[in-house]
């Protein structure tokens, strides 16, 4: 077996499928790099699985002679998770694009990363949807002109490495398609990492986003614009290797080595295991033209691997509870019977007592809270109907929507009311407050005798019932920002509860409570 | 009002309530300009101050309704003619319960809060209700808007 693996070569991984990528596409060089890496891993060919989503980049599995799954858009990390959990012996690789992995599959990518299965994720970032012929993607630059942004992208682009770090990824790296040797090195390190290795490849789509990475990936200027990160080495770059990065506080600064007394010793030394989040955040933030764009391994950490933890958990639980089988579970005694058109739900006796106990305790807690013994809180459960009549609040003034503004004014001045309802016995159309009148009458030259109040009333936010509680009203008043809530009266017509009435109710309750000497509130 | 327990929120100073930014005009300002100021500040009253910025009056929507809208006064009339002079005010040390008492026994909806002669803000009936309701979070704020919608059992069953 050992011997046979050693014999594997690049050629063993080349498939006979016709390649559908455009000539010159950056995906080719990544494919080459992967075909270089695989034979070096000492893993039997049949143990490799490549899972992809949808996109040009996601056609990758066809061109590798391994097991593969050209799967569902954005769901490659999810399917790969299943593959790895079901058979941890496999070497699982996810191939995704900036669209596949960060648009439709953003959520899946994030959760795969935080789970930390021992697998590899390669995100081919060409800052565009290639397959669908050039729509902007989550990594497209602000202002980029594409088929779906003819006047320029308005959104901030996502930085895939920052997403990976925020998702607690344990291996975060970047490489450029024009430097396949470096890509190979990074992928090899990633493959050896125990945990999910996330590698972003800056890839050029020669058809729809030709110059996306030209400024940093072009061979002519690469050395000066890329910063090759090397573990334990100072951050040095430049064709003449004469430029470096120093830190001013937490801010990086480009310096010339040998100028102004700067030596290599002054430069920041790269540590992929640094636990300082500021350091790696700083690296991900650096980019051409203000800085060289870093490539290489940004960050690595040793953390438990999901499939192992899962296996241990299964062992542990099986040891204490025995092995259970799915059929038994499905045909078991734990079920609910739904009857009466869905109104009656009964729990079977087989449902574990512990579970129902828990929910009983919760129920009781909820019930306790709801029937609080605190007098004011308890009083908030008083229904509106009660305060409405107790306080002898007059039924509110109601006018037809056709009534003139003059009529409304006459009502306001004669009745000393804050607000008039607009409608009839059956329907409410709006409310009219003093403010609506004042602002319209004083600030505009309307004809108050002719203009109907429907022209200046405000729409109804909510109508409550007499059976609603004071608490409900307070809730609505707080949410709506209004000073009154119309109430549908039991025997027809509408009433109105105002903030002032609520305060009066609270005032009276507090006074009552104090009179009874029960002022301590727990 | 008898003795209050210090630890209750009824004894909290009104300074802790989110006061509203006041609309302020100088004496002699026209009624129209005062209303514009109210509209701009989205508040139902405007404070009137003298040259030394001392509070001398308050004008509310209610005042405007009763003293101006039905009258023959023109919009250029100075606010001084219809405002409420020497309005009630309070300091930030006023307690929540005292504020409740004040709104209970008076018709106005806005109470200027002053430190010395500086206006700190306006306490409104709404602001006070919101403050009180925020101290009853579970019972008032964290419930469905209609108590008939409260689930009788915990979720999931
Ligand atoms: C559910 C669904 N939505 C949308 C599409 C259309 N679609 C196909 S590929 C793609 C985006 C691919 O972008 P990326 O992952 O960057 O791949 P690239 O082609 O650039 O390598 C989209 C939106 C689809 N196939 N299925
Ligand atoms: S469209 Fe772009 S990304 Fe797709 S194969 Fe062609 S060059 Fe590559
Ligand atoms: Mg793409």
């Amino acid at each position: 077996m050992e011997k046979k693996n050693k014999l594997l070569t690049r050629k063993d991984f080349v498939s006979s499928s016709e390649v559908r990528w455009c000539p010159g596409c950056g995906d080719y060089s990544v494919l080459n790099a992967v075909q270089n890496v695989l034979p070096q891993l000492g893993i039997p060919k049949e143990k490799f699985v490549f899972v992809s989503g949808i996109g040009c980049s996601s056609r990758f599995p066809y061109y590798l002679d391994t097991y593969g799954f050209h799967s569902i858009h954005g769901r490659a990390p999810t399917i790969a998770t299943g593959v790895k959990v079901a058979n941890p012996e496999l070497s699982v690789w996810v191939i995704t694009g900036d669209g596949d992995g960060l648009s439709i599959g953003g959520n899946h990518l994030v959760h795969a990363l935080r789970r930390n299965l021992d697998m590899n994720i390669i995100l081919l970032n060409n800052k565009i949807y290639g397959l669908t012929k050039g729509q902007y993607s989550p990594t497209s630059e602000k202002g980029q002109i594409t088929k779906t942004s003819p006047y320029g992208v308005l959104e901030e682009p996502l930085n895939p490495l920052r997403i990976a770090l925020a998702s607690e990824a344990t291996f975060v790296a970047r490489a450029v398609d024009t430097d396949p040797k470096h890509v190979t090195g990074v992928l090899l390190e990633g493959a050896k990492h125990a945990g999910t290795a996330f590698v972003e490849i800056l890839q050029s789509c020669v058809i729809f986003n030709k110059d996306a990475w030209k400024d940093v990936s072009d061979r002519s200027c690469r050395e000066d614009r890329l910063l090759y990160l090397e573990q334990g080495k100072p951050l040095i770059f430049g064709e003449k290797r004469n430029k470096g990065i120093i830190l001013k506080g937490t801010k990086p600064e480009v310096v010339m080595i040998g100028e102004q007394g700067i030596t290599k010793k002054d430069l920041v030394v790269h540590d992929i295991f640094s636990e300082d989040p500021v350091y790696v955040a700083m690296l991900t933030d650096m980019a051409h033209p203000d800085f060289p764009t870093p490539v290489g391994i940004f960050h690595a950490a040793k953390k438990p691997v999901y499939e192992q933890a899962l296996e241990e958990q299964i062992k542990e639980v099986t040891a204490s509870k025995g092995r259970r089988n799915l059929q038994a579970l499905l045909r078991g005694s734990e079920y609910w019977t739904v009857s009466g058109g869905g109104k009656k739900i009964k729990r079977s006796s087989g449902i574990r007592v512990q579970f129902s106990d828990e929910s009983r305790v919760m129920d009781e807690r909820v019930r306790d809270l709801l029937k609080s013994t605190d007098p004011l809180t308890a009083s908030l459960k008083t229904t509106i109907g009660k305060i409405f009549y107790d306080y002898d609040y007059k039924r509110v003034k109601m006018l037809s929507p056709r009534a003139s503004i003059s009529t409304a004014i006459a009502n306001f001045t004669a009745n000393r009311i804050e607000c008039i309802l607009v409608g009839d016995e059956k329907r409410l159309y709006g409310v009219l407050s003093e403010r609506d009148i004042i602002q319209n009458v004083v600030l505009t030259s309307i004809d108050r005798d002719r203009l109907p109040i429907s022209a200046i009333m405000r729409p109804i936010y909510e109508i409550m019932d007499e059976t609603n509680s004071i608490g409900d009203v307070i809730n609505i008043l707080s949410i709506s920002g209004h000073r009154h809530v119309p109430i549908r009266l039991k025997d027809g017509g509408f009433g109105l509860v105002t903030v002032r009435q609520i305060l009066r109710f609270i005032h009276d309750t507090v006074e009552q409570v104090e009179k009874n000497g029960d002022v301590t509130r727990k | 009002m008898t003795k209050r327990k210090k630890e209750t929120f009824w004894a909290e100073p009104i300074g802790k309530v989110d006061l509203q930014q006041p609309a302020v005009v100088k004496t002699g300002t026209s009624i129209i300009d005062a209303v514009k100021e109210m509209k701009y500040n989205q508040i139902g009253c405007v404070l009137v101050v003298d040259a030394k910025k001392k509070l001398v009056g308050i004008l509310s929507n209610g005042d405007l309704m009763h003293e101006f809208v039905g009258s023959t006064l023109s919009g250029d009339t100075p606010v001084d003619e219809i405002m409420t002079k020497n309005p009630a005010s309070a300091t930030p040390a006023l307690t929540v319960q005292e504020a409740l008492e004040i709104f209970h026994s008076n018709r106005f909806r806005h109470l200027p809060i002053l430190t010395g002669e500086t206006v700190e803000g306006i306490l409104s009936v709404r602001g006070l209700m919101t403050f009180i309701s925020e101290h009853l979070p579970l019972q008032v704020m964290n419930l469905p808007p209609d108590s008939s919608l409260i689930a009788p059992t915990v979720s999931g069953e």
Side-chain angles (χ1 to χ4, degrees), chain A residues 54-57 73 97-100 104 126 128-132:
Chain A
I54 300 295
C56 292
S57 38
H73 206 1
D98 44 320
D100 186 62
I104 192 167
N126 54 12
I128 198 88
Y129 293 172
L131 186 75
T132 47

Side-chain angles (χ1 to χ4, degrees), chain A residues 20-22 25-27 56 126 130-131 203-208:
Chain A
R20 302 276 293 274
W21 288 327
C22 310
C25 173
D27 289 345
C56 292
N126 54 12
L131 186 75
Q203 173 245 334
S204 65
C205 166
V206 291
I207 305 296
F208 297 109

Side-chain angles (χ1 to χ4, degrees), chain A residues 368-389:
Chain A
D368 274 359
L369 285 168
L370 290 178
K371 57 172 194 241
S372 166
T373 48
D374 166 82
L376 178 62
T377 306
S379 73
L380 295 176
K381 265 145 231 132
T382 316
T383 59
I384 298 168
K386 186 99 188 312
I387 68 153
F388 195 82
Y389 296 111

